Amino acid sequence: YENLTKRSESERAFSVCESNKGKLVGVAFLNEIDFKNRKCHIGYFLDKEYWKKGLTTEAVRLLKYYCFNELNMRKLHTSTFEPNIGSKRVLEKNGFELIGKYKSHVYVPSIGFVDECIYEVFNDDLDSEIG
């Protein structure tokens, strides 16, 4: 987390904490922030112990809100590997659309070469409420 927060103006990182304990369980980040074209890449990592608890979905929802309402971005983009069903679900729950794939693009140990799925979402798709 500390390494992510010490980068340039085109990158920002946020801690993902367990709400009842304040324990750091992951990070969510922005990189390739392009204020001229009003777009950026988002990413996230969560400790495996906290998967399937809604924390990643909530973190991406908050990132999306922050980017569209505070940074005035018009577009967010990201990618995930084909076998990562959980990450694909998180993105789709947050309105991201699959726009393409890089075929057999990345080697994943114990799986082999996998497709990289490319997603994007535009500001028009954001609900005005965070609530």
Side-chain angles (χ1 to χ4, degrees), residues 6 20 31 40 44 59 78 86 107 111 119:
K6 294 178 183 177
N20 58 346
N31 58 16
C40 69
Y44 43 88
T78 192
Y107 181 80
I111 296 177
Y119 285 85

Side-chain angles (χ1 to χ4, degrees), residues 48-86:
K48 191 172 185 171
E49 177 183 341
Y50 294 90
W51 291 1
K52 298 182 181 181
K53 296 184 179 192
L55 291 172
T56 310
T57 299
E58 179 70 5
V60 170
R61 186 176 71 86
L62 292 170
L63 264 185
K64 183 178 162 185
Y65 182 88
Y66 174 74
C67 288
F68 288 161
N69 292 287
E70 300 298 325
L71 298 182
N72 197 29
M73 294 287 127
R74 67 175 188 83
K75 176 183 174 178
L76 305 178
H77 59 95
T78 192
S79 65
T80 189
F81 302 146
E82 182 66 46
N84 192 340
I85 304 299

Side-chain angles (χ1 to χ4, degrees), residues 41-44 77-81 87 91 102 116-119:
H41 177 268
I42 71 160
Y44 43 88
H77 59 95
T78 192
S79 65
T80 189
F81 302 146
S87 189
L91 293 170
Y102 293 119
E116 184 174 356
C117 302
I118 312 301
Y119 285 85

Side-chain angles (χ1 to χ4, degrees), residues 35-46:
F35 288 104
K36 178 181 177 190
N37 294 298
R38 297 177 41 220
K39 63 185 176 87
C40 69
H41 177 268
I42 71 160
Y44 43 88
F45 298 102
L46 205 63

